[in-house]
Amino acid sequence: MPELIRIADVAQYDGQEICIQGWLYNKRSSGKLHFLQVRDGSATIQCVVFNGEVEEATFEAAGSLTQESSIEIVGTVREDARSPLGYEVGVVDIVVLQEAAPYPITPKEHGTAFLMDHRHLWLRSSRQHTIMRIRSTIIKAARDYFDDNDFVLVDAPIFTPNACEGTTTLFETEYFGDRAYLTQSGQLYAEAAAMAFGKVYCFGPTFRAEKSKTRRHLTEFWMIEPEVAYMDLDGDMELAEDFICSIVERVLEKHRDDLESLERDVTALERIQKPFPRVSYSEAVERLKELGVEHEWGKDFGGDEETVLAESFDRPVIVHRYPSEIKAFYMKADPEAPKQALCMDVLAPEGYGEIIGGGQREDDLDVLERKIAEHELSDEAFSWYLDLRRYGSVPHAGFGLGIERTVAWLCGLPHVRETIPFPRMLQRLSP
Ligand code: 4AD
Ligand code: MG
């Protein structure tokens, strides 16, 4: 039996007989030839079955192979200038493991709802395959950034007794006769960990019962959240921009061809360099007015305002010091402008919206107790969190980056539903 190889490694086997284990992606025939597009997860390659080179039965079998049948191919690697890989395979033998039933996703166009219903199969399509590999790189780059900069990974729980980001988007579940919520953010636990380890991050799925259907909202999404003791808002903004630049750099380094296959404008990503512009919320309101959008001071920005604002910059813009009223209970007020919080959002360019939210945390016990009461949150559920202000409280800050919005931005996708293997949204719980 010849050596089993990954299609992606084919260049190392020029002229040799090899074996591939994969699936039939597509097929066309002309007279004495069958051209099989075979994918194995690593790449797709054309395998040519020539009537004169294989047994009659093998040639017949190749001609009747159905899309997505699982097959093992033995053949010889040869150069082919027209192939994206630079090679094709001259088939010697084919073993059919399973003849696939008629495959629902044919090479013709399908509607989004149909594709989403078949997400478990749609993942095999080349575009989805490309997006998921870029997602994998983004996650690796994000983790590498923190791992390489002395952060300790501390996992936050998913069942929690308290809300982090407001009570309106909590998913509730029964917990042995008690009530539990699915976590909205690991932040509060990351704060506890920062007091133990200094620089930490958590990374995991987070949940929000988002009742609106938008192209930026999922009910289950992945967030990576650093938290640093003795860091202030300025340090937080610097960390965020350095972090984003390192992710963009990695994606450009590894996926230039993939981005081009997605028709992503790569030059827009090449402009993502430090420093990012910073504007305060108040300046942003002024700027919006100049751009013809009336926005009442004190109200939160929606997707439309974010898009207009971001469009006037060629790289992500950091908006800081939003009104405290519209922000979470844990945010520290700006001593110089007490109605505003020491917080920041990073808005991606080209209308992709907020990708990071974070800021400096309230570190004073009395103020925090008052805020918890004002937000009508339970004292009991937060008593552990208040301990962090009782025992060695220090200024500290952090942020959360949403993986899916980052994937949408970097891949240039109009909707977050294609950025995660199995999206969960208002009207989607399956497959
Ligand atoms: O701005 P958010 O709500 O911030 C927090 O949760 C903080 N506790 C994080 C922290 O400081 N440690 O969410 C952070 C990011 C957003 O900028 C966005 O990228 C993403 O999480 N996000 C969502 N992504 C997809 N679907 C949703 N429903 C999202 N909600 C937030
Ligand atoms: Mg936010």
Side-chain angles (χ1 to χ4, degrees):
M1 188 74 170
E3 189 176 348
L4 174 66
I5 70 157
R6 289 167 75 239
I7 295 174
D9 298 333
V10 73
Q12 299 163 30
Y13 297 89
D14 188 16
Q16 296 180 41
E17 191 163 283
I18 49 88
C19 176
I20 293 167
Q21 296 179 321
W23 295 264
L24 183 71
Y25 193 63
N26 207 347
K27 184 187 74 183
R28 93 192 143 77
S29 301
S30 103
K32 293 178 183 325
L33 293 163
H34 296 306
F35 299 97
L36 312 180
Q37 302 298 324
V38 178
R39 57 170 197 87
D40 73 346
S42 76
T44 302
I45 195 163
Q46 172 160 284
C47 300
V48 183
V49 193
F50 175 46
N51 197 346
E53 283 171 1
V54 294
E55 286 184 21
E56 191 60 35
T58 307
F59 187 77
E60 294 294 310
S64 62
L65 269 182
T66 51
Q67 190 186 348
E68 288 303 317
S69 287
S70 37
I71 48 179
E72 279 178 8
I73 299 256
V74 173
T76 309
V77 176
R78 57 194 187 210
E79 268 190 68
D80 174 29
R82 288 158 302 178
S83 146
L85 287 173
Y87 297 90
E88 63 175 20
V89 172
V91 175
V92 174
D93 195 15
I94 304 174
V95 177
V96 180
L97 276 83
Q98 195 239 346
E99 180 84 33
Y103 192 63
I105 307 179
T106 56
K108 67 163 200 188
E109 291 267 317
H110 295 280
T112 307
F114 178 85
L115 291 169
M116 292 301 282
D117 286 342
H118 293 87
R119 184 66 173 163
H120 51 296
L121 302 177
W122 191 22
L123 287 173
R124 304 179 188 191
S125 301
S126 75
R127 181 181 154 85
Q128 300 307 313
H129 188 262
T130 302
I131 296 167
M132 287 307 126
R133 283 186 297 106
I134 296 177
R135 174 188 170 98
S136 171
T137 296
I138 290 170
I139 291 173
K140 172 98 166 69
R143 299 188 54 142
D144 282 349
Y145 179 86
F146 295 124
D147 292 343
D148 294 346
N149 284 286
D150 305 320
F151 284 71
V152 177
L153 171 69
V154 180
D155 302 309
I158 287 174
F159 284 131
T160 63
N162 45 255
C164 179
E165 296 298 324
T167 49
T168 56
T169 60
L170 280 176
F171 276 113
E172 194 178 307
T173 174
E174 196 271 341
Y175 195 79
F176 305 116
D178 248 336
R179 206 181 341 201
Y181 306 104
L182 299 185
T183 187
Q184 297 169 307
S185 156
Q187 178 197 320
L188 307 183
Y189 298 94
E191 287 183 57
M195 300 304 131
F197 303 94
K199 293 165 75 171
V200 300
Y201 73 101
C202 61
F203 178 49
T206 48
F207 306 86
R208 310 248 174 122
E210 303 278 5
K211 284 159 205 104
S212 56
K213 269 170 78 174
T214 81
R215 59 198 185 86
R216 293 174 186 168
H217 288 90
L218 295 160
T219 55
E220 179 178 310
F221 60 98
W222 287 69
M223 193 169 16
I224 189 157
E225 301 178 81
E227 192 71 29
V228 183
Y230 292 101
M231 194 169 73
D232 63 6
L233 178 62
D234 284 335
D236 202 33
M237 294 195 277
E238 276 168 39
L239 180 66
E241 73 186 359
D242 197 49
F243 174 58
I244 289 176
C245 288
S246 82
I247 295 175
V248 175
E249 198 181 318
R250 177 81 66 90
V251 169
L252 282 172
E253 191 181 290
K254 275 197 76 173
H255 294 286
R256 210 164 260 280
D257 292 349
D258 291 328
L259 292 168
E260 270 155 23
S261 79
L262 295 173
E263 295 175 359
R264 178 66 171 106
D265 172 12
V266 179
T267 59
L269 299 182
E270 283 165 344
R271 285 195 291 269
I272 311 307
Q273 303 284 342
K274 292 192 291 186
F276 295 169
R278 291 157 167 67
V279 296
S280 69
Y281 169 86
S282 304
E283 286 163 348
V285 171
E286 283 303 307
R287 208 177 169 101
L288 279 172
K289 191 187 266 172
E290 286 161 21
L291 294 166
V293 180
E294 281 301 326
H295 185 85
E296 190 185 329
W297 198 99
K299 290 231 159 76
D300 203 359
F301 296 141
D304 293 344
E305 284 92 350
E306 286 179 359
T307 299
V308 173
L309 256 179
E311 266 170 0
S312 55
F313 301 96
D314 67 349
R315 59 193 77 194
V317 52
I318 308 183
V319 181
H320 55 86
R321 295 179 170 81
Y322 286 74
S324 301
E325 280 273 295
I326 54 168
K327 288 290 179 184
F329 75 95
Y330 53 72
M331 293 192 178
K332 188 174 175 65
D334 183 354
E336 320 222 308
K339 281 191 175 342
Q340 285 160 265
L342 292 174
C343 65
M344 57 107 185
D345 279 359
V346 179
L347 311 183
E350 305 170 84
Y352 288 96
E354 178 199 329
I355 48 169
I356 278 184
Q360 195 173 330
R361 321 305 188 187
E362 182 52 71
D363 47 19
D364 182 89
L365 178 63
D366 296 336
V367 177
L368 197 54
E369 277 181 324
R370 190 166 40 80
K371 296 283 284 290
I372 288 173
E374 277 171 18
H375 284 251
E376 294 174 5
L377 297 165
S378 129
D379 295 350
E380 202 192 328
F382 283 98
S383 69
W384 69 269
Y385 183 65
L386 290 167
D387 272 354
L388 307 176
R389 278 54 174 180
R390 288 190 184 100
Y391 307 112
S393 187
V394 301
H396 61 288
F399 62 77
L401 169 107
I403 295 293
E404 290 72 23
R405 291 197 192 165
T406 307
V407 176
W409 167 43
L410 297 182
C411 292
L413 309 175
H415 198 293
V416 288
R417 66 185 159 222
E418 285 181 54
T419 64
I420 183 165
F422 295 96
R424 295 291 172 254
M425 295 176 291
L426 183 58
Q427 275 144 348
R428 182 156 302 273
L429 184 61
S430 69

